[in-house]
Amino acid sequence: MDPIQNPYSPGAGSPPPELAGRDKLREQIRIAIARIRRGNSAKSVLMVGLRGVGKTVLLDQMRQDADKEGIYTIRIEAPENRSLPALLAPQLRQVLLRLNRVEVAKDLAQRGLRALAGFAKGLKVKFNDIEVGIDYEAEPGLADNGDLEVDLTSLLEQVGLAGQNAQSAVVLFIDELQYIEEVEFAALISALHRCAQRKLPLTVVGAGLPQLRGLAGQAKSYAERLFDYPVVGPLEAFEAERAIVKPARDQGIEYTKEAVEEIISATHGYPYFLQEWAKHAWDVADKSPITLDHVKAASVEAIAALDESFFRVRLDRLTPSEKRYLRAMAELGPGPHRTGNIATVLKKAVNSLGPVRKSLITKGMVWSPNHGDTAFTVPLFDEFMRRIIPEWE
């Protein structure tokens, strides 16, 4: 079949042709934003899930949904080597400049821009990666104390007040939140708490790996009352079937039941993997319907593609000792695994493995579902490790 017409889109954050199984969560966010816009209370939302479940795609779709309702949105991704103030400052400037064009919000938007100038100036020494255009002179005493928690609270209050006067809301969509430093996360939580207390229409919709819940609690003990933590997981079988079948059917191509079941079984319902398998099944098939034989042939190509991209890019960031730790986990299966069992496979003392485990958690490769347990953050990574390092000593 024509590969140019192939509808599937495996890729980092690439929107799938059919966003199946996420309607309930999208509606939850829509209601939360609509509530704060009206001055009602609603928790910020931190979506948690493993790699490949479609958190980034979902976050982008939610932002598009909000944009259509006239909400002021910003979208940032938190990499490991940038500070939160540096990420937020230029995006907040764009929102304030937009609000400055709304007559009823102009004065408060301009005060917000003065707060932003003070924020950048006051924190430049601590966070030298802050780079933002200055449109108004700083107002002495407004978000310029040099204390991140105090200044970020003052700044977001001004942004929220401008959004309130514009009869709208401001929503910060933040991806990869687990990479934010604890002190910066604490400042963000404190600022959101203050905005919630004042019933200002400003909120966060974030996404991150499962350890995000614990990180929020460590940053501020009241975080559990400030956020909802919906879990974004693999799709149910009927949702996965829709994600596979509908894009092809829209182009007049069908799947056999056995072919669909094979893809769901191979991918465990993870959206990224569904896209990868369906793409290769389309390319392998010469005509409709796509059959079980097509899918089995496509599996070889799909696994090779995942090994060279999705999995390999994560493996290449690791040290030899970290790779060995993950290979020991893979020897035990998909997990989660007790730390003592991993140590047994490695023939090491448990306490000697602490630094490696901590490093892998920091890099987002593993997480701890319960005390003493370790699990992969990347689905099917155990199978990849056994393929890439087949022999285990």
Side-chain angles (χ1 to χ4, degrees):
M1 295 189 295
D2 187 353
I4 297 174
Q5 296 183 30
N6 191 324
Y8 303 102
S9 56
S14 299
E18 179 66 21
L19 185 57
R22 306 306 189 201
D23 292 346
K24 183 178 179 180
L25 189 48
R26 287 172 65 184
E27 179 67 3
Q28 176 185 341
I29 300 302
R30 186 195 68 79
I31 291 172
I33 294 172
R35 283 185 59 81
I36 66 165
R37 187 178 194 173
R38 292 173 62 90
N40 295 328
S41 64
K43 292 182 180 181
S44 292
V45 174
L46 301 182
M47 300 181 292
V48 296
L50 302 179
R51 300 289 187 193
V53 296
K55 299 186 300 297
T56 298
V57 167
L58 190 53
L59 201 66
D60 287 339
Q61 182 60 60
M62 289 171 173
R63 185 191 180 189
Q64 292 176 33
D65 294 342
D67 285 339
K68 291 176 182 177
E69 297 298 321
I71 304 298
Y72 293 85
T73 68
I74 72 171
R75 167 74 160 85
I76 63 174
E77 180 176 327
E80 296 172 78
N81 58 351
R82 293 286 306 281
S83 72
L84 180 63
L87 294 167
L88 281 177
Q91 295 291 333
L92 290 174
R93 174 177 177 262
Q94 293 299 317
V95 164
L96 287 166
L97 287 173
R98 289 176 58 201
L99 286 163
N100 192 36
R101 296 195 290 269
V102 180
E103 190 61 35
V104 293
K106 184 180 291 289
D107 290 345
L108 286 168
Q110 290 177 5
R111 191 158 196 257
L113 288 164
R114 292 195 293 273
L116 181 61
F119 179 82
K121 181 180 178 182
L123 292 169
K124 184 66 175 175
V125 174
K126 289 183 180 178
F127 302 98
N128 58 18
D129 58 345
I130 295 179
E131 298 291 342
V132 63
I134 303 300
D135 303 278
Y136 290 85
E137 290 298 319
E139 179 180 321
L142 181 62
D144 64 353
N145 294 286
D147 181 289
L148 176 59
E149 189 165 312
V150 172
D151 291 349
L152 185 58
T153 297
S154 295
L155 175 58
L156 291 189
E157 280 185 285
Q158 293 305 315
V159 175
L161 286 166
Q164 186 179 61
N165 264 33
Q167 298 183 330
S168 185
V170 179
V171 183
L172 285 56
F173 290 89
I174 309 177
D175 202 5
E176 301 288 6
L177 258 169
Q178 74 277 351
Y179 290 134
I180 292 179
E181 295 290 336
E182 183 174 321
V183 65
E184 298 168 23
F185 203 177
L188 177 63
I189 294 170
S190 180
L192 290 172
H193 190 211
R194 183 57 181 156
C195 288
Q197 289 174 325
R198 295 191 62 182
K199 294 189 175 181
L200 296 177
L202 186 146
T203 193
V204 163
V205 178
L209 295 174
Q211 60 260 42
L212 187 57
R213 286 171 294 199
L215 295 173
Q218 291 171 22
K220 287 290 183 182
S221 59
Y222 56 77
E224 64 180 29
R225 301 191 302 274
L226 190 64
F227 296 105
D228 282 330
Y229 299 94
V231 176
V232 183
L235 300 178
E236 297 289 341
F238 72 95
E239 297 166 339
E241 180 177 358
R242 178 181 165 195
I244 297 165
V245 171
K246 188 175 184 300
R249 185 167 290 162
D250 287 346
Q251 299 196 43
I253 303 300
E254 297 291 337
Y255 281 82
T256 65
K257 180 182 177 182
E258 293 77 14
V260 172
E261 290 174 347
E262 178 68 15
I263 293 176
I264 295 173
S265 175
T267 62
H268 299 268
Y270 286 100
Y272 181 87
F273 301 146
L274 286 170
Q275 294 297 307
E276 196 74 68
W277 252 262
K279 172 190 178 296
H280 288 285
W282 175 288
D283 288 342
V284 165
D286 54 352
K287 62 181 180 179
S288 180
I290 297 173
T291 67
L292 177 60
D293 288 340
H294 293 142
V295 172
K296 287 183 175 179
S299 292
V300 177
E301 300 295 328
I303 290 170
L306 287 168
D307 285 357
E308 290 305 313
S309 56
F310 185 81
F311 293 130
R312 174 67 70 175
V313 71
R314 289 162 174 81
L315 184 72
D316 288 347
R317 299 173 62 236
L318 306 179
T319 66
S321 59
E322 290 167 348
K323 292 176 184 177
R324 186 170 175 79
Y325 189 99
L326 294 183
R327 182 59 181 83
M329 287 179 61
E331 190 71 7
L332 294 169
H337 304 298
R338 299 297 295 173
T339 304
N341 293 340
I342 300 170
T344 298
V345 174
L346 287 166
K347 299 178 182 178
K348 299 277 189 179
V350 171
N351 56 9
S352 71
L353 297 173
V356 176
R357 182 176 182 269
K358 182 179 179 180
S359 177
L360 286 168
I361 291 174
T362 300
K363 290 181 178 181
M365 292 301 302
V366 301
W367 70 293
S368 180
N370 298 291
H371 181 70
D373 285 345
T374 306
F376 292 105
T377 61
V378 183
L380 310 187
F381 205 75
D382 60 309
E383 297 177 15
F384 167 70
M385 290 302 296
R386 290 194 295 273
R387 286 194 299 272
I388 206 74
I389 309 176
E391 297 299 325
W392 177 251
E393 299 176 2

